């Protein structure tokens, strides 16, 4: 496997398929990148990875080195905190952190520096004046935790770095040449980490090894390695399968490849659905959204995954394919059969998710309850799609995550509201009915009782908003 590491081109041979980027860096003596949690939560291990996008641009994004697999680096430019200096000069993000006294114990500092340096890089690339700097910086560091300094000086350092006109791109000439001329047909150099480029190639691997070692963004899979200590002698990386990276938008439907990252999904819905983009902004952190995918969110089959309830109310279908190249379509709702169990056969995988535009255009509300606003898994996720004529409900779909072993659709409440003229008494009846049809779980995130109250609040709120009531939003309080 070949890539550029800071200023030098490196070739890595014979590494185990399940080696993480963090371990690879530390094996090479680059110990500036820290391990805090080894689970994608704290950002101490943040590094920048540059690659050529489908439209030929070079783009740098931040990832969590602790859960990203080293094999995914083939053909990229990796920038660590050691690689930011330019001829002995500190990078503006480093300089600003020093000048604003934004570090105490310093353990989190390399990660913050990398996140801030990435914001600087994005600004250089976009060539546009930045908008609200405080908001940009706050969002940019939402995946980095600091336990001792406090965030004010770090945010100030970020604002200062973004105002620094001396900033140079981290993409030097050798890295640019490498990225632009790299032939991905060379992947993999190693026999145990496979990165197929098309569905036919993927079918062969899945036919031989099943779907258990498929990895897209590794934001769930990586934790199997770092938290459960599971070893994976062979890995099939589906993040570069061209058909699974495709985005198709027509008048009738939006089709999103299973390996499209959340950061890319944010762009698809930027002008189409404020509620969905708002949920995506609260899904993990920038690091997680840069690598995590919709296919992984479905296939991981977590009952508290954020996006399945959204796609259930949007009447989305999943295109599945098996190792013989046969395809079938299932509704998002049918995909789950039990706790952490899906309809996927052992040689089957998700190719894409297809959403009818008409469903996205309907009135919808999506609410996530979690203990923190950013970088936190939900305790309850509620999705509501309502259509009809003024306050008469022509149709309604309600779905929750975190309320049962699988994401559920609440047909009983839908049936009582269907065709009804909505008024406040009916809203109260629907909420009372909801309490009788769900048996939520108790776990470390929330008790069953709290979850139930939260789910009822969400239904009440969605129906009131459909009736035209203006209710305060979290955004208004920030
Ligand atoms: C710090 C942190 C915060 C997180 N926050 C959230 C959050 O707020 N909300 C949320 O919903 N999730 C969250 N997650 C979970 C995770 O990011 C998502 O579930 C993500 O969508 C997984 O996608 P991935 O591409 O990384 O999947 P991977 O980790 O690559 O894969 C996950 C599983 O799905 C399988 N798989 C992946 N793609 C396919 C496919 N196309 N076909 C068949 N099988 C496939 C893999 O084999 C694996 O078993 C968080 C995770 C972390 C580490
Ligand atoms: S070490 Fe905490 S996110 Fe990687
Ligand atoms: S400076 Fe100590 S954790 Fe941030």
């Amino acid at each position: 496997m070949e890539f550029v590491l800071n200023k030098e081109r490196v070739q890595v041979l014979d590494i185990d398929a399940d080696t993480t980027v963090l371990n690879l860096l530390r094996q090479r003596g680059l110990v500036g990148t820290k391990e805090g949690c080894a689970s994608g939560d704290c950002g101490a291990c943040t590094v920048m990875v540059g690659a050529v996008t489908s439209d030929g641009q070079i783009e740098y994004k931040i990832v969590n080195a602790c859960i990203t697999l080293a094999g995914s680096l083939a053909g990229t430019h990796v920038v660590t905190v050691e690689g930011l200096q330019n001829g002995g000069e500190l990078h503006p993000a480093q300089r600003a952190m020093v000048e604003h006294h934004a570090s105490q114990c310093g353990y989190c500092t390399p990660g913050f520096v990398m996140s801030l340096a990435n914001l600087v890089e994005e600004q250089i690339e976009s060539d546009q004046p930045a908008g609200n700097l405080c908001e940009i910086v706050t969002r940019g560091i939402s995946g980095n935790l600091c336990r001792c300094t406090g965030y004010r000086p770090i945010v100030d350092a970020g604002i200062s770095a973004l105002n620094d006109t001396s900033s140079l791109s981290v993409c030097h000439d050798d890295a640019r040449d490498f990225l632009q001329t790299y032939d991905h047909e060379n992947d993999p150099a190693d026999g145990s980490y496979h990165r197929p480029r098309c569905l036919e190639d993927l079918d062969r691997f899945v036919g031989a090894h099943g779907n258990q070692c498929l990895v897209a963004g590794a934001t769930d899979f990586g934790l199997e390695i770092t938290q459960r200590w599971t070893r994976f002698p062979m890995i099939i990386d589906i993040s570069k399968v061209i058909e699974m990276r495709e985005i198709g938008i027509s008048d009738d439907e939006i089709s999103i490849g299973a390996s499209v990252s959340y950061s890319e999904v944010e762009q698809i819905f930027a002008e189409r659905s404020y509620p969905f983009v708002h949920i995506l902004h609260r899904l993990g952190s920038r690091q997680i959204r840069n690598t995590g995918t919709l296919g992984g969110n479905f296939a991981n089959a977590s009952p508290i995954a954020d996006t399945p309830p959204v796609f259930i109310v949007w009447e989305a279908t999943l295109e599945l394919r098996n190792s013989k190249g046969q395809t079938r379509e299932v509704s998002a709702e049918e995909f789950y059969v039990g706790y952490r169990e899906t309809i996927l056969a052992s040689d089957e995988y998700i190719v894409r998710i297809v959403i009818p535009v008409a469903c996205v255009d309907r009135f919808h509300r999506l609410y996530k309850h979690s203990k923190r606003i950013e970088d936190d898994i939900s305790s309850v996720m509620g999705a509501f799609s309502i259509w009809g004529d003024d306050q008469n409900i022509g149709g309604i779909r309600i779905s929750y995550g975190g309320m049962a072993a699988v994401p559920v659709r609440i047909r009983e409440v839908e049936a009582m509201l269907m065709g009804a003229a909505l008024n406040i008494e009916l809203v109260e009846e629907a909420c009372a009915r909801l309490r009788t049809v769900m048996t939520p779980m108790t776990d470390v995130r929330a008790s069953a009782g709290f979850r139930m109250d939260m789910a009822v609040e969400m239904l009440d709120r969605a129906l009131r908003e459909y009736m035209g009531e203006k209710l305060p939003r979290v955004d208004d309080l920030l």
Side-chain angles (χ1 to χ4, degrees):
M1 167 180 64
E2 199 178 4
F3 60 102
V4 178
L5 179 53
N6 295 327
K7 308 282 188 295
E8 91 183 288
R9 245 181 233 217
V10 293
Q11 255 200 335
V12 178
L13 300 172
D14 296 331
I15 53 162
D16 293 335
D18 54 6
T19 306
T20 62
V21 172
L22 183 64
N23 283 343
L24 178 70
L25 293 175
R26 297 181 74 88
Q27 281 161 19
R28 298 184 67 86
L30 294 177
V31 293
T33 306
K34 301 298 180 214
E35 179 180 271
C37 63
S39 57
D41 279 305
C42 75
C45 64
T46 305
V47 298
M48 248 193 266
V49 177
V52 176
T53 60
S54 51
D55 55 2
Q57 305 296 313
I58 294 176
E59 192 179 78
Y60 285 82
K61 59 183 187 181
I62 43 170
V63 306
N64 291 313
C66 66
I67 52 170
T68 303
L69 293 174
S72 69
L73 298 182
T76 68
H77 177 203
V78 181
V79 185
T80 69
V81 72
E82 292 90 348
L84 284 179
Q85 288 190 25
N86 188 18
E89 282 279 304
L90 290 182
H91 184 278
Q94 293 171 309
R95 202 164 46 233
M97 288 288 282
V98 174
E99 286 168 1
H100 287 82
H101 308 286
S103 172
Q104 282 192 44
C105 80
Y107 204 77
C108 67
T109 306
F112 274 102
V113 164
M114 293 313 298
S115 292
L116 295 180
N118 191 241
L119 289 178
V120 172
E121 190 66 27
E122 281 173 0
Q123 181 163 298
I124 296 170
E125 287 305 310
S126 78
D127 204 20
Q128 298 286 327
N132 179 340
L133 289 185
C134 190
E135 194 184 317
I136 290 169
V137 173
T138 308
R139 192 161 287 161
I141 59 172
S142 65
N144 295 82
L145 293 184
C146 177
R147 311 257 173 214
C148 47
T149 303
Y151 291 91
R152 183 73 256 172
I154 301 174
V155 172
D156 288 343
I159 293 172
S160 163
L162 285 174
N163 278 317
D164 190 326
T165 49
S166 70
S167 303
L168 288 175
S169 171
V170 294
C171 189
H172 49 82
D173 290 347
D174 190 35
R176 184 171 294 105
D177 282 355
F178 175 79
L179 293 175
Q180 285 172 341
T181 56
Y182 182 82
D183 183 359
H184 279 279
E185 298 306 322
N186 293 336
D187 309 348
D190 187 288
S192 58
Y193 192 93
H194 301 283
R195 200 154 67 153
R197 301 280 291 166
C198 64
L199 292 178
E200 282 73 23
D201 283 351
L202 175 56
D203 291 342
R204 269 191 283 117
F205 286 118
V206 175
H209 306 285
N211 62 9
Q212 290 302 303
C213 48
L214 295 185
V215 177
T219 60
D220 283 316
F221 191 94
L223 274 68
E224 286 294 318
I225 300 168
T226 63
Q227 305 299 307
R228 297 217 173 106
W229 302 94
T230 313
R231 297 301 313 262
F232 294 92
M234 90 101 67
I235 278 173
I236 306 168
D237 176 342
I238 54 176
S239 64
K240 292 285 178 289
V241 176
I242 289 164
E243 297 89 334
M244 294 167 81
R245 298 265 318 122
E246 281 170 355
I247 296 166
I249 302 174
S250 71
D251 288 347
D252 300 329
E253 59 186 33
I254 300 170
S255 158
I256 306 173
S259 296
V260 170
S261 73
Y262 289 118
S263 293
E264 293 163 309
V265 176
E266 278 174 53
Q267 288 167 23
I268 303 172
F269 288 94
E271 302 293 323
R272 289 169 193 273
S273 169
Y274 169 81
F276 191 39
V277 170
H278 182 65
I279 291 296
L280 290 172
H281 284 167
R282 293 186 53 202
L283 194 156
S285 58
R286 175 54 66 204
Q287 289 90 323
I288 294 294
R289 296 195 293 275
N290 280 341
T291 44
T293 65
L294 291 183
N297 208 218
F298 271 96
N300 190 45
S302 162
I304 47 168
D306 283 343
T307 67
V310 181
F311 291 113
I312 289 173
V313 301
W314 275 350
E315 304 180 32
T317 49
L318 306 185
E319 184 186 315
L320 312 182
R321 178 174 166 120
N322 69 14
S323 61
K324 296 179 200 70
Q326 295 158 335
T327 58
R328 61 175 171 145
E329 284 182 6
V330 298
S331 69
E333 194 183 342
E334 288 168 315
F335 185 71
Y336 297 99
V337 292
Y339 180 69
R340 291 216 169 253
E341 267 184 81
T342 73
I343 204 169
L344 285 177
S346 61
D347 72 336
E348 226 174 2
Y349 56 87
I350 306 167
V351 179
R352 61 178 63 90
I353 291 125
V354 181
I355 313 135
V357 169
C359 295
V360 179
D361 288 346
R362 291 172 184 160
F363 173 93
H364 58 275
R365 288 293 181 269
L366 312 171
Y367 307 124
K368 168 170 173 165
H369 180 272
S370 55
K371 287 183 182 162
R372 279 191 321 228
I373 289 188
E374 279 151 332
D375 204 359
D376 201 5
I377 308 270
S378 20
S379 33
V380 181
M381 171 73 209
F384 309 85
S385 169
I386 311 174
W387 60 101
D389 165 20
D390 289 333
Q391 291 182 8
N392 296 314
I393 297 185
I396 177 165
R397 277 194 164 219
I398 304 169
S399 178
Y400 287 101
M403 296 300 287
V406 295
V408 282
R409 189 164 156 210
I410 313 296
R411 289 175 185 273
E412 295 87 341
V413 178
E414 288 176 10
M416 77 172 280
L417 291 170
M418 200 80 82
L422 199 55
N423 56 42
I424 207 67
E425 288 75 29
L426 188 57
V427 172
E428 283 165 15
E429 275 175 48
C431 290
R433 185 67 193 273
L434 182 66
R435 287 188 184 276
T436 67
V437 296
M438 284 194 299
T439 44
M441 56 194 172
T442 292
D443 65 11
V444 288
R445 289 199 179 81
S447 66
F450 179 83
R451 282 196 156 98
M452 183 61 89
D453 288 347
M454 212 30 75
V456 168
E457 281 297 315
M458 289 176 179
L459 175 65
D460 178 79
R461 186 183 173 100
L463 294 174
R464 284 164 179 264
E465 289 195 338
Y466 183 70
M467 286 164 64
E469 229 177 286
K470 292 263 174 286
L471 297 166
R473 298 181 318 179
V474 169
D475 278 12
D476 303 333
L477 305 174
L478 295 177

